[in-house]
Amino acid sequence: MKKGILLSLLAVSLLAGCSGGGTQNANSSSGGQGEGSAVELTFWRPQASEVEDNVYVKRIEEFNQANKGKIHVKMEVITRGNSFAYEDKINAAVASHTLPDVLAMDGPNIANYAASEIIIPLDEYFSKEDLDDFVPSILQQGSYQGKFYAPGLNESSVVLFYNKKIMAEHGITPPDKIENAWTWDDWYDVMKKTSKDGVFGTNMINDKGEWMTYAFEQLWISGGTDIVNKEGTTAEGFVNSPQGVEAANFLQKLANEKLFNIDPKPTEFEEGKAATKLGGPWNIPGFKNYPDLEWGITYFPKKAGGIQTAPSGSWAVGVSADTKHPKEAAEVIKWITNKDSSTQLARAISMPASRKSAFESLTEYNELPLRIIKEQVTGVSHARPVTPAYPVLTQKFAEALTDIMVGADVKKSLDNVASTYDEEYKRNFAE
């Protein structure tokens, strides 16, 4: 029985560089008409940038050509704008049993879609060798209760950008080997040295919504815990654990000492007004618009003695429970996430690939600065919590961190996240 469809409460939208955010009208691409007795499939995905959309159009055309007379896919691109029209369309289709055969979804929504029986497991369609080719965080994000539902189309990461001129002025050499990655204390010392004369020590607020969970959950992981347990059934003792309180206290200390701007201008780092910046590969193309900026990349800071980790997450694709052709739909999934698709998409949108084998062709990731991103994506990244109650978790966690950064009591704020999440999980998802 389908239950707990929470997406109307908060449609989780990932970050810049990922699907979504288009403003044009919906359109479709089929790569030609169907062929005789070929199985006809539909594929929904949200509109993205023109360059990203073009990759999917090309790959679907190539799929239809390779499967001529057997399978024919019609891709429908859904306008999102700044709202959640795409998720609303899926929710409406769930109610009327008119879901497409294949659908794209934001990574944190996978567990909710799986628990709500909107998508089906894909384990029988992927070999172990094929699954092992995905970077570990893609398997983590795409799995729920021991079954694999949805591979990611690409990956993402958050690194610490730095201004080379400011670092040189202060005699600071950022690490370029992962074993020497800065600890929180190292990063704090860098911020203290560089935060002066109108320059902030760092720029780390992308937005006060999903970014807060995407970026800062890693502080909990680095401390050896998480914001919920591994099963996703409770936040009590995790988000408000001693390690969690320590992580939140660290963020509050940075805010109290005004080492970052809680309401930053989006181009603060690019304009030389922040010495470092927590950001992702999606920022890099824009750096060329600031010719005076000399930038480098180092690793996501970790807790002293803790785990080296980094954020990850991407849009993914799955097979709907309404399809009458699961085998053929799975073939589309495998094609749109195979090595060639992963490589082409990574090159087009400047985001890391979701497959290890794709990096063989992306040789620019073998050298600095992109080597840092590759090392994080393939070795230490962690996906956000896999839980069907994620929409409530991320909303409450983001609110709590924002309050903590402006002076709220750390323990009480985290206790409220734990109690609210646990009530939500028990009400809608507990067996």
Side-chain angles (χ1 to χ4, degrees):
M1 181 179 70
K2 295 180 179 180
K3 61 179 183 178
I5 300 174
L6 297 176
L7 300 177
S8 59
L9 294 178
L10 175 66
V12 177
S13 180
L14 192 59
L15 306 162
C18 301
S19 296
T23 57
Q24 300 175 22
N25 295 327
N27 55 71
S28 62
S29 174
S30 63
Q33 299 300 312
E35 294 287 335
S37 60
V39 172
E40 296 280 348
L41 301 177
T42 52
F43 172 25
W44 287 1
R45 50 170 293 271
Q47 189 172 37
S49 65
E50 182 178 359
V51 66
E52 183 172 350
D53 285 341
N54 288 342
V55 172
Y56 294 117
V57 169
K58 175 175 178 288
R59 292 300 288 160
I60 291 300
E61 288 176 349
E62 291 171 349
F63 177 88
N64 285 337
Q65 187 62 34
N67 292 275
K68 193 173 184 179
K70 296 182 291 184
I71 308 172
H72 185 267
V73 182
K74 180 180 180 181
M75 182 173 70
E76 184 175 355
V77 183
I78 314 297
T79 300
R80 290 192 79 196
N82 293 320
S83 62
F84 301 109
Y86 180 72
E87 285 81 5
D88 290 344
K89 185 175 177 72
I90 289 177
N91 286 344
V94 169
S96 59
H97 293 285
T98 55
L99 285 166
D101 302 278
V102 177
L103 69 158
M105 68 206 78
D106 202 358
N109 290 339
I110 293 172
N112 186 288
Y113 280 33
S116 303
E117 300 176 8
I118 294 174
I119 54 177
I120 63 173
L122 300 178
D123 302 86
E124 65 182 290
Y125 304 112
F126 282 85
S127 67
K128 183 180 183 304
E129 181 181 16
D130 204 12
L131 287 176
D132 287 345
D133 189 39
F134 287 108
V135 298
S137 53
I138 286 293
L139 298 178
Q140 180 190 358
Q141 171 188 269
S143 300
Y144 177 67
Q145 293 190 341
K147 297 180 180 178
F148 184 63
Y149 284 86
L153 294 160
N154 59 274
E155 248 300 4
S156 67
S157 193
V158 173
V159 295
L160 188 66
F161 293 107
Y162 59 85
N163 184 309
K164 289 185 176 181
K165 293 179 182 177
I166 295 176
M167 295 298 113
E169 289 172 4
H170 294 277
I172 299 169
T173 303
D176 61 7
K177 294 182 179 178
I178 198 165
E179 59 269 27
N180 299 328
W182 277 339
T183 65
W184 300 348
D185 293 336
D186 294 332
W187 185 30
Y188 171 78
D189 289 342
V190 170
M191 286 187 269
K192 289 291 284 186
K193 286 183 180 178
T194 58
S195 186
K196 57 181 67 174
D197 301 327
V199 175
F200 287 97
T202 198
N203 172 297
M204 64 179 199
I205 304 297
N206 199 49
D207 63 61
K208 295 175 184 173
E210 183 60 22
W211 170 262
M212 305 297 271
T213 306
Y214 174 65
F216 299 121
E217 177 208 4
Q218 302 300 316
L219 274 64
W220 272 246
I221 295 173
S222 189
T225 184
D226 205 334
I227 59 175
V228 295
N229 65 348
K230 184 177 180 180
E231 296 75 21
T233 56
T234 182
E236 178 60 40
F238 291 86
V239 71
N240 57 349
S241 64
Q243 302 98 312
V245 171
E246 182 181 3
N249 276 330
F250 174 68
L251 294 174
Q252 190 173 66
K253 180 174 77 169
L254 303 186
N256 288 344
E257 298 187 24
K258 302 187 186 307
L259 298 178
F260 69 94
N261 186 354
I262 195 168
D263 294 302
K265 184 180 179 181
T267 55
E268 195 173 67
F269 175 75
E270 289 84 341
E271 294 176 10
K273 296 178 180 177
T276 63
K277 173 186 177 67
L278 282 182
W282 59 87
N283 294 121
I284 295 175
F287 289 167
K288 67 178 184 299
N289 298 323
Y290 297 85
D292 291 336
L293 175 65
E294 296 180 19
W295 57 275
I297 294 178
T298 191
Y299 303 91
F300 193 91
K302 68 175 184 178
K303 181 184 175 182
I307 298 168
Q308 184 65 51
T309 184
S312 74
S314 71
W315 279 73
V317 280
V319 174
S320 87
D322 287 347
T323 186
K324 293 180 174 59
H325 307 286
K327 180 180 178 181
E328 290 79 5
E331 290 301 313
V332 180
I333 300 285
K334 292 165 67 175
W335 177 277
I336 206 69
T337 62
N338 66 17
K339 177 184 176 181
D340 289 342
S341 294
S342 183
T343 303
Q344 291 180 36
L345 185 60
R347 284 197 171 124
I349 64 173
S350 299
M351 295 289 280
S354 58
R355 282 188 176 272
K356 300 172 187 173
S357 58
F359 282 105
E360 296 171 2
S361 304
L362 301 168
T363 55
E364 61 270 32
Y365 282 88
N366 293 335
E367 306 294 335
L368 291 175
L370 297 186
R371 172 169 61 77
I372 305 289
I373 297 172
K374 177 183 175 181
E375 289 177 2
Q376 291 194 163
V377 168
T378 59
V380 302
S381 294
H382 289 81
R384 282 159 285 181
V386 178
T387 165
Y390 184 81
V392 169
L393 176 65
T394 189
Q395 180 184 26
K396 293 302 177 183
F397 185 66
E399 290 174 355
L401 288 193
T402 302
D403 291 344
I404 287 168
M405 288 177 181
V406 295
D409 184 276
V410 169
K411 187 64 165 59
K412 287 182 179 178
S413 298
L414 297 179
D415 285 346
N416 182 58
V417 177
S419 61
T420 303
Y421 175 82
D422 284 5
E423 290 172 7
E424 174 69 20
Y425 189 88
K426 290 176 182 175
R427 181 167 55 246
N428 288 302
F429 299 102
E431 296 295 335

